[in-house]
Structures are given as structure tokens and as C-alpha cells.
Amino acid sequence: VQLVESGGGSVQAGGSLRLSCVASDTYTFSTYCMGWFRQAPGKGREEVASIDADDNTIYADSVKGRFTISKDNAKNTLYLQMSSLKTEDTAVYYCAASGGGYCYPLYAFEYWGQGTQVTVS
């Protein structure tokens, strides 16, 4: 499965961005757990949000109320709507897929995109 992210860029604090991730798998995308992760310079990879096959969502405390994860199974696409962005949201954002449908643990996510840079100033 190939994952391709888009939508990153530079934005001022308080602004919004929407990230997209298109998966190459047409037939089983709806069964995946999909997640967004991020990695800031000098820091480890952090899970931002995940959504399972039943559309149950989980968010990191740092983004609750500001970010929304969603997916469109018909388009094999995962989204992350980011609002009220803060400078500490600056990071490379990665899309990941768990083919087994499990959102935990981290190693359940076996497919990863190349990442898209988000810079908040």
C-alpha cells in the first residue's frame, strides 16, 4: 500500500490547514485503521490522531478541539483538518495505515507516507 500526503505548507499561528493522504489500496481501505503522526526537529514521532474502520477517533491531548481526522472510503483518502494552529504544531506530518485494522500499538501501522512539512510561525 502506498500513501501519498499533501496539503502541508507554511501558515501563521491561528491559521488552518487541511492535510490529505491518498492510499493506493482501493478494496480494503475502509477496513484499515488510519493515523496521522508528526515529528518535530530533534523530537520523537508523536501520534496525532487515528480513525478506525468504524470511524472511532482518538486524538492526542495537544490537538483535541483543534484538529479533526476524517476519511472518505470512496476516495481512499484520509484527512486532517488543523485549526488554531500553534508554533508547536510545526513538524513533518506522516500518514500511516494499519492493514490489520488495529490502531495500537505503533507497530501495527505497517504502511507510511513520505511526510509533508507543516510550519507555523
Side-chain angles (χ1 to χ4, degrees), residues 4 6 13 20 26 47-48 53 56-57 64-65 71 77 96 100 104:
V4 180
S6 62
S20 300
T26 302
E47 183 170 352
V48 175
N56 297 305
T57 58
K64 280 181 182 177
K71 61 187 174 83
T77 303
Y104 292 95

Side-chain angles (χ1 to χ4, degrees), residues 44-111:
R45 189 166 294 189
E46 172 192 22
E47 183 170 352
V48 175
S50 64
I51 183 167
D52 69 12
D54 295 323
D55 288 343
N56 297 305
T57 58
I58 297 175
Y59 294 92
D61 288 342
S62 59
V63 306
K64 280 181 182 177
R66 301 188 298 121
F67 290 10
T68 302
I69 189 171
S70 62
K71 61 187 174 83
D72 185 335
N73 292 330
K75 296 182 178 180
N76 305 328
T77 303
L78 175 73
Y79 301 101
L80 184 68
Q81 178 66 49
M82 304 185 293
S83 302
S84 301
L85 283 161
K86 304 176 181 180
T87 55
E88 51 263 44
D89 294 318
T90 295
V92 177
Y93 284 71
Y94 298 91
C95 165
S98 167
Y102 299 103
C103 296
Y104 292 95
L106 177 61
Y107 61 75
F109 290 93
E110 67 263 51
Y111 306 110

